[in-house]
Structures are given as structure tokens and as C-alpha cells.
Amino acid sequence: EYMGTQLDFMAHKSWEDRVGEPLGSRGALNSLETMPLMPSTLRAKGSTEKSLSRWQYFLYAAPSLGFGASTQFLTIFQFALYTNVYGVSLSALNNVFLGLQAMLFIGDPIIGWWTDVSKTRFGRRRPFIVFFGPLLMAVCFLGMWPVFTTGQLRLTIWFGATYLASQLLIQTYQSPYQALGIELTLDSTERNKLFGLTQTFYQAGVVIATFTPTMILHFTNETRTVYFWFGAGAAALGAVPMILLAVLVRERPDFAPPETSPLIPGLIRALSNRPFAILLVSITFLNCQPYYGVLLVYWCQYSLNLDALWQAIILTAWMLGSFMFMPLWAWVATRIGKKTAYLLAMAVATVTFTFVLFVRENDKLAAFIVAFLCGSSCISLNANNATFNSILADVVEYDQLRTGFRREATFLNVVQVFNALTSVLSVSLPLFIMDRAGFTANVHNTAKVRETIAGLLGPGAAFWCVLAFVALLFFPITTEIHARIVDGLAEHAQGRPALDPVTGVMIHAPASTVNVVDERVAWFLDNFFKFELAAVPRFGPTALLWIVVAWLVATLGATVGSIFWVLADPSRYLETGAFFAMVAFALLVFNCCRVWPAIQFTKAPVPTHI
């Protein structure tokens, strides 16, 4: 029926005759998409495109071993290193952490757009991988081996500088890296295998970073020496494969669009993509889970009363569960579909997280088993989950069907923007709740505190999994729908219209002469949301400028108000105030970027019918 309606559409009447008429049982042609001309090498039905070789699988996945070891080493041990070894105030580090999250909230989408639009004779992705990947490894090493060993202010600045640099470099490296993986193959099954293998390497690095330093320090007190050699080894383990990947694996030049999408309209189009919006809501709920890397240590030390070695063992068990089960989830996704596999993993996580409540004090075996089971769902990996990345790749192709652009890095960084936002909820908020419950460090806490920690790690995480599960139920792209999307892109590559399998609407081919809206005008109008444009016919061309100014006043007031709220009582309002300040400031910058387009529209308004 799908192919028949397209053939009937093209064979009997011209586009002018058919616009607005019903298209078989697929609905009306009620959407005219504007798209630039872009070639495609999609693996359509009957295509002879080569499959990925084992060497390509290995070259792409190998850098994740060192990447996981270095970044996880920094994530788990950096706070403890600067407070326990170098004597830096934890409150000072937390204040720096919250302040830097606001910068990352602004910087991540800019980095994503930059990596998407950059063009060099060496490709779009490989230059970022070969330069910023090894640089990230060096920064992770320096973050765990500061050149200063004394001076509170100097060490706090060093902590902030290395943390900010590492987070920005992670996005600058990881977005092109993941985008390259999406582009290597368009076959859904191969993608599941590729991202599954990559996640397996990553989890192996995480397990190494979690257990090895703690195990060595159990026999020696030379923390600085141990961290130096482990950090240097992990950095080399990541940098060398990154360079080999960039040198030996070629990009597909036909995936580089002839024109680049502007930043603000590109973000608005991404957020207007319904499948992506649903997926973003789901992954944002998962990102709100209390971060296991922080709470698991408190659970082991204060709820279970375990020593440092067993804390490392339990944390390793969690990571080991993800490491061992990731290949299984990749296999399951190829058998029952990505969406179904992801939903099943969320259901498993919801059940296993609740087991945390039933582990008793000093019960090491039960703690090990529960931690392993919690990790087995791989849900706590959030945006690093292989199934999620494979689903996101399908969304990228759906966006290409509708817009004509491949914008892998843009979508990846929008996810990271929301991840930076929810870091306040996943890290700072649980610590705040523990503090309000009466938590005191390095003493035996009350039963209320111990139960609060277990509740946050277990049912607290399960609650967010349930919300993510419900949101993902509405995600429309299944394996069959993705196959139709690929077929539609192949039709566009031949200059023919294609059916949007999600909405049931025909979409013109790239650069089709029947598109009624000029491409540049369409991108210009996408500086504004639909409800904002709807105000123009009623209130005139100046309506958009007044709307943007109103947004500026509101977001500026919210930003300043949040700052004063925090300053009124930092001990009570720091986390909540920082959350609102981050959101308000990001929206303030976003609307500042729309002032000039609003002024341009006032001077030269686009006709109302357009």
C-alpha cells in the first residue's frame, strides 16, 4: 500500500493538481517541506552496499576503552581527591560545580552545532576526533594529578579549570565520534552491534577505573603516585586508538550537506521533531535518577557500614553488570526491536532498583548481588546506553527526511544540554535531601539517614524509570517505520517525493521546484516558534519583536531573581536556585540570539500566506 500510493501519486496527476487532495488511505498532502539538495547512499531495498568489517567494528569501538577509564576515573575520584588528599573545602568544590554547569548548559548546543557545520578536506568528524580526543585524555590526567599540591585557592581554580575543560572536551570529542558511528552504517542491525560493542568497551574501561586504583591503594598510601601512573596509562589507552580511528576509518563524503543549518533555527527544528521530543523527555527522566556513582558510595559506607575496599567492590559489581549484559541487550534489540528492548530494560531496572531497600547492614553478598542486578539493565548509563544511541540514529534519519540535513551532533548535544540541566537533580538534590535528613560525614548516622540514602538509590531511581517508560510508549519509530524512512530517503535521492511514515504526509524531494517556500525564508522563519508566528497576522510585523523582548525581560528577571534567592540563604536554596538560574540564563541567551531576526522581520516582513 505504501509503495502503491506513491506510484499512483506520481503517475496520474501533477503536483499542482494533487496538492491538498487525499492520498489513498494515507491522508492529505498538507505539508510542504523545504529541503536543500543532498545526495544519499542509503541502503535501500536491494542495495549492494558493503557491510562493516570486523576491523571497522574494532577500530570504532576501541577508543571507548580508554575514554571510559579516563573520564570515569575523573568522575568518581576527583571530588574525593581534592577534599581528602589536598584538603579543599567540599562546599567550595560544590559551588564551582554548580557554577560551571550553567556554562556547560550554554556551551553544549554551540559545540554540537559547530561540529555539525564544520567542513575540512579531512572530513567533518575525524579532525575533532584526532585533535580533541587526545587533548581530553591529557586534561583528565591533569585533573587527577594537579601541578599544585598546596593552596586552597589554587587547587580550587585548578579543579574548576580541569572540570570545565574536560566536560567541554567530552562534548567536542564525543559528538563527532558518535555521529561518525551513526554514519558508518545505515543498517539497523549493524548499528545495534556497533553501539553494543562500543558500549562494552566503554564499560570495560569504567570497571577498570572503578576498581583498579582503589585496589592498589589498599596496599599503599602513595595516592599521588598511583593516580599519576593510572591516569597516564588510561590516557594513552584512549589517545592511541583515537588517532588510529581518525587515520584509518574514512568518512562518507556524501553525508556532508552542501549548506549548513543555522544554530537557533536548527535547535528549534530539532525540538519540533516529535519523535525526538518524546525520546528527549524519556532520556531526561532517566537523567534525573540519583546518580549511582555518588550515592552508591554513601549507601555502602553509611547504610551498609562497609569499608573502602568493599565500597569499590560493590561499585565495580554495578559496573560489571552493565559490562556483561550490554552485548545481551544489543542482541535483544536485533530480535524484538530497539524500542521494545529499551522498554524491557526500563522494566528490569524498575524491579532491580527496588531490591536496594532489602539489603541489610554488613550484608556484603546481598549488596554485591543487588548492585550487579541493578547494573544489568544498563539503564543507569543514561545517554551512554547503546540502545538509546541506536534509537537516536533513527531519529537523525527521520529528521533528514523532513529537513534534508544530517545533524547528528546537534541532536546529541541537545541531549547533553538537558543532561547538564538534570545534573542538579541527579547529584545536588539527593545530597541536599540527605543533608535535610540529618546526614553527618564520618560518623554512624541515624536509621532515618540510612533509609533515606537507600530510598534515593533504589525506589528514587525506579520512580524516574517508570516515568521514562511511560514517555517512551509514545515513541513512534519502530523497526518497520525506520525501514520506510530509509526507503523515503532513497526516493528523495532520486528526486521523487516520499511519504512520511510517522505523519502519513507526502514530503517533496530535496530542492523540488514545487516547494512554495524559499529555503532561506523557511530557515529564517524557524527563528520563531509557530505560536509566535501566529501572532503576526493579528498584531502586525512588530509582534515578533515585542514577543522576543517580553521573553528577554522575563528571563532576565528570572535569572536575577534566582541569584538573589540563592544569596538570601545559600545553605537552603543553593541547589534549587542554581537549577532555576541555569534554565533562565540559557533562555536569556537563546532569546538574545533572536533579537536581530525579529528586527529584520519588522523591517521586511514575510507575506502572511508564506
Side-chain angles (χ1 to χ4, degrees):
E1 181 185 14
Y2 165 67
M3 294 304 297
T5 53
Q6 288 201 55
L7 292 173
D8 176 73
F9 188 91
M10 291 183 288
H12 292 87
K13 291 188 179 182
S14 67
W15 282 101
E16 291 80 358
D17 294 334
R18 294 299 299 264
V19 171
E21 291 187 9
L23 180 61
S25 62
R26 289 294 183 185
L29 190 154
N30 53 17
S31 176
L32 298 176
E33 301 289 342
T34 301
M35 302 166 55
L37 182 61
M38 178 175 172
S40 176
T41 56
L42 295 165
R43 189 179 297 178
K45 296 176 181 178
S47 171
T48 58
E49 182 184 347
K50 293 182 179 180
S51 300
L52 291 178
S53 66
R54 292 183 179 179
W55 181 240
Q56 287 175 305
Y57 276 112
F58 175 78
L59 280 175
Y60 180 78
S64 293
L65 180 64
F67 174 81
S70 290
T71 55
Q72 192 69 15
F73 182 48
L74 189 74
T75 300
I76 292 179
F77 298 110
Q78 191 178 26
F79 272 90
L81 173 67
Y82 281 76
T83 55
N84 298 340
V85 177
Y86 297 120
V88 180
S89 168
L90 181 60
S91 61
L93 297 182
N94 193 36
N95 292 339
V96 170
F97 170 79
L98 290 173
L100 294 178
Q101 290 303 116
M103 299 179 65
L104 295 173
F105 198 52
I106 302 297
D108 281 350
I110 297 175
I111 289 174
W113 173 76
W114 177 41
T115 59
D116 255 347
V117 303
S118 296
K119 296 179 183 179
T120 71
R121 63 192 184 96
F122 302 105
R124 289 197 299 164
R125 315 301 185 190
R126 293 191 301 155
F128 286 94
I129 294 172
V130 76
F131 179 74
F132 291 106
L135 183 59
L136 168 63
M137 297 296 97
V139 169
C140 289
F141 166 73
L142 291 174
M144 296 304 294
W145 197 76
V147 296
F148 310 108
T149 57
T150 58
Q152 290 268 328
L153 179 60
R154 291 191 302 178
L155 284 166
T156 302
I157 294 174
W158 187 267
F159 168 87
T162 53
Y163 175 82
L164 177 62
S166 65
Q167 295 304 308
L168 291 175
L169 286 171
I170 284 174
Q171 301 311 318
T172 312
Y173 159 77
Q174 196 171 25
S175 294
Y177 174 73
Q178 291 178 326
L180 178 62
I182 293 174
E183 294 175 356
L184 282 180
T185 177
L186 297 167
D187 183 82
S188 184
T189 301
E190 285 189 345
R191 274 185 180 157
N192 290 336
K193 293 178 181 178
L194 181 66
F195 287 124
L197 180 62
T198 301
Q199 191 60 53
T200 302
F201 272 79
Y202 173 80
Q203 279 303 118
V206 169
V207 171
I208 293 171
T210 303
F211 187 73
T212 305
T214 305
M215 176 59 73
I216 297 175
L217 287 173
H218 188 66
F219 301 101
T220 179
N221 293 323
E222 297 293 332
T223 302
R224 186 170 171 83
T225 302
V226 171
Y227 281 8
F228 171 85
W229 287 110
F230 183 85
L237 194 62
V240 173
M242 290 171 182
I243 295 172
L244 291 176
L245 171 65
V247 172
L248 298 178
V249 175
R250 300 295 179 185
E251 295 183 40
R252 304 175 98 144
D254 51 325
F255 275 4
E259 300 181 21
T260 57
S261 62
L263 174 60
I264 298 301
L267 289 175
I268 291 179
R269 282 199 180 186
L271 294 173
S272 300
N273 184 317
R274 179 174 170 268
F276 176 67
I278 294 172
L279 187 63
L280 183 63
V281 170
S282 181
I283 192 63
T284 300
F285 281 143
L286 291 181
N287 286 334
C288 289
Q289 298 176 86
Y291 181 50
Y292 72 95
V294 174
L295 281 186
L296 196 58
V297 175
Y298 287 100
W299 181 60
C300 293
Q301 182 175 353
Y302 296 102
S303 296
L304 304 182
N305 197 26
L306 302 179
D307 58 27
L309 179 60
W310 270 100
Q311 292 171 31
I313 292 174
I314 300 304
L315 188 57
T316 302
W318 192 298
M319 310 294 185
L320 193 63
S322 298
F323 171 71
M324 295 181 64
F325 276 82
M326 181 52 68
L328 175 63
W329 286 115
W331 177 82
V332 170
T334 62
R335 295 298 184 271
I336 64 176
K338 304 172 191 178
K339 175 183 174 180
T340 307
Y342 205 26
L343 288 170
L344 180 60
M346 292 179 190
V348 171
T350 302
V351 174
T352 56
F353 286 160
T354 57
F355 291 163
V356 170
L357 283 177
F358 302 103
V359 181
R360 301 303 179 188
E361 188 174 355
N362 289 314
D363 193 343
K364 300 173 182 177
L365 178 61
F368 184 91
I369 294 173
V370 168
F372 181 84
L373 292 176
C374 288
S376 66
S377 68
C378 300
I379 287 299
S380 55
L381 301 175
N382 299 341
N384 289 320
N385 186 289
T387 308
F388 168 78
N389 284 312
S390 189
I391 294 174
L392 185 61
D394 296 348
V395 173
V396 169
E397 261 125 39
Y398 177 65
D399 180 69
Q400 183 187 356
L401 179 68
R402 295 186 61 84
T403 68
F405 287 94
R406 291 192 66 90
R407 299 180 295 149
E408 294 91 342
T410 297
F411 283 99
L412 289 166
N413 277 274
V414 170
V415 172
Q416 293 304 323
V417 165
F418 281 79
N419 184 36
L421 172 65
T422 55
S423 65
V424 178
L425 297 176
S426 63
V427 178
S428 295
L429 184 59
L431 296 179
F432 173 76
I433 294 174
M434 288 166 50
D435 182 66
R436 303 302 293 178
F439 170 78
T440 304
N442 299 320
V443 300
H444 186 75
N445 283 266
T446 64
K448 177 183 178 182
V449 172
R450 298 196 302 269
E451 291 170 1
T452 299
I453 295 173
L456 288 169
L457 182 63
F463 168 76
W464 293 108
C465 287
V466 171
L467 293 182
F469 181 95
V470 173
L472 193 67
L473 288 174
F474 297 93
F475 185 72
I477 300 180
T478 61
T479 302
E480 294 77 14
I481 293 295
H482 178 252
R484 292 186 176 185
I485 291 171
V486 173
D487 291 339
L489 288 170
E491 292 293 313
H492 279 170
Q494 301 298 319
R496 295 192 290 266
L499 185 68
D500 180 344
V502 174
T503 63
V505 168
M506 292 298 297
I507 301 177
H508 295 313
S512 173
T513 57
V514 300
N515 283 326
V516 297
V517 181
D518 180 76
E519 176 194 340
R520 291 171 297 177
V521 175
W523 280 106
F524 172 75
L525 292 176
D526 276 338
N527 280 288
F528 312 99
F529 293 97
K530 290 183 178 180
F531 74 90
E532 294 173 331
L533 291 171
V536 174
R538 183 175 180 182
F539 299 104
T542 60
L544 291 177
L545 181 58
W546 284 111
I547 290 174
V548 172
V549 170
W551 278 115
L552 286 174
V553 173
T555 52
L556 178 61
T559 303
V560 175
S562 299
I563 294 174
F564 277 104
W565 186 27
V566 171
L567 294 177
D569 191 348
S571 62
R572 295 182 61 186
Y573 304 127
L574 179 62
E575 289 78 11
T576 308
F579 175 81
F580 286 108
M582 286 170 56
V583 176
F585 182 67
L587 292 175
L588 176 63
V589 174
F590 173 79
N591 285 289
C592 283
C593 297
R594 302 199 300 156
V595 171
W596 178 241
I599 293 174
Q600 287 181 303
F601 188 91
T602 301
K603 293 180 178 179
V606 178
T608 302
H609 70 279
I610 297 295

